[in-house]
Amino acid sequence: MAKRLRRDPGAPKRNLSAYLLYQNAMREQFKALNPGMTFGQLAKYTSAMYAELSPNEKEAWAARAEADKARYLHELSSYVPPQGYDSKGDAIISPLTAKTGRRGKPEKDVNAPKRNMSAYLLYQNAMREQFKRENPGMTFGQLAKYTSHMYKNLTPQEKATWVARSEQDKARYDAELSAYVPPPGHDARGVLIEDHRPRRKNKRGPKDPAAPKRPSGAYVCFTNDMRPK
């Protein structure tokens, strides 16, 4: 089974289809009406109930889906991904990482300009210590969800303040990047180009042809003796 890509916690939440919106809205009601159903049975029941909706009811859910898509595209237009993530907030995996399965950060010039942050990441960094003090028993994952919840509940004026800070940070990054001269083997943002990575040396050196042969196991000796001459 393929592993899900890591996502930037500050990336816009992807829009849902009409059916998924219906499923999320009706899940608790259907569970209460059918307490003995398994997860799979409940999924089939929800699908059957959705299929039986009238055209007008389905149009209502389709309209909600269109509104959610518009919300997502609007948030995505002002989203600035941090280093290592694409324009939608998914972690970027290089061909080398995909083959080895390792999740290493790309090597970067230490003198390269520090990447700008989105409004959410600036908020997250600013509020992290306060939220940790207020919620000492929370795990890292719980604290991330709590921070996301608190950010979503900011007033429009409060969010505008963080958006303005992110725009200032982007202007700072663009100005520093325009004056940055990358060293050889690095791209315009200071990331080491794959072709310039040092190749790993083979740990096993050439074998001496005069070296004694390794002893064979019992099974190897048996097969050698039984092999037709």
Side-chain angles (χ1 to χ4, degrees):
M1 183 180 294
K3 294 182 179 180
R4 292 183 63 182
L5 295 178
R6 291 176 296 128
R7 271 184 64 77
D8 171 26
K13 188 177 180 181
R14 286 193 176 100
N15 58 297
L16 300 178
S17 65
Y19 175 72
L20 286 179
L21 289 171
Y22 172 82
Q23 182 186 58
N24 290 346
M26 304 302 292
R27 181 182 293 114
E28 295 305 319
Q29 179 180 333
F30 289 164
K31 283 172 67 177
L33 293 172
N34 305 277
M37 280 190 176
T38 64
F39 179 84
Q41 291 170 336
L42 193 63
K44 290 181 180 179
Y45 177 82
T46 304
S47 178
M49 293 297 290
Y50 181 78
E52 292 178 5
L53 292 178
S54 66
N56 290 339
E57 291 173 319
K58 283 191 176 181
E59 285 179 8
W61 288 106
R64 295 187 187 186
E66 286 297 322
D68 192 40
K69 182 180 180 181
R71 182 272 314 164
Y72 174 64
L73 294 176
H74 174 71
E75 293 178 359
L76 201 63
S77 65
S78 58
Y79 169 66
V80 180
Q83 180 183 340
Y85 294 86
D86 63 17
S87 59
K88 294 183 179 179
D90 291 320
I92 298 172
I93 297 183
S94 66
L96 178 65
T97 305
K99 289 180 182 178
T100 61
R102 297 177 181 176
R103 295 180 173 181
K105 284 187 176 181
E107 296 180 35
K108 192 174 182 181
D109 174 25
V110 293
N111 297 317
K114 187 177 179 181
R115 188 73 180 264
N116 59 295
M117 295 187 181
S118 64
Y120 174 74
L121 284 179
L122 289 171
Y123 173 82
Q124 181 186 57
N125 290 346
M127 304 302 293
R128 181 183 292 115
E129 294 304 319
Q130 178 181 330
F131 289 163
K132 284 172 67 176
R133 289 194 303 269
E134 294 174 350
N135 306 277
M138 280 189 177
T139 64
F140 179 83
Q142 291 170 337
L143 193 64
K145 289 181 180 179
Y146 178 79
T147 305
S148 177
H149 172 76
M150 294 298 289
Y151 181 77
K152 289 176 182 177
N153 285 304
L154 292 178
T155 65
Q157 292 80 7
E158 290 171 330
K159 280 191 177 180
T161 300
W162 290 105
V163 170
R165 293 186 185 184
S166 70
E167 291 174 350
Q168 291 175 358
D169 193 37
K170 186 176 186 301
R172 183 272 313 162
Y173 175 68
D174 290 342
E176 292 179 0
L177 199 63
S178 64
Y180 170 66
V181 179
H186 293 72
D187 64 16
R189 288 183 169 84
V191 178
L192 183 64
I193 299 172
E194 195 68 39
D195 293 342
H196 292 264
R197 289 180 182 273
R199 296 183 180 276
R200 292 185 179 181
K201 295 182 179 179
N202 189 359
K203 294 181 179 179
R204 184 179 296 178
K207 189 175 180 181
D208 180 10
K213 291 184 178 181
R214 292 179 181 177
S216 301
Y219 176 76
V220 175
C221 290
F222 172 78
T223 55
N224 288 340
D225 290 340
M226 299 303 294
R227 185 180 295 121
K229 304 297 183 181

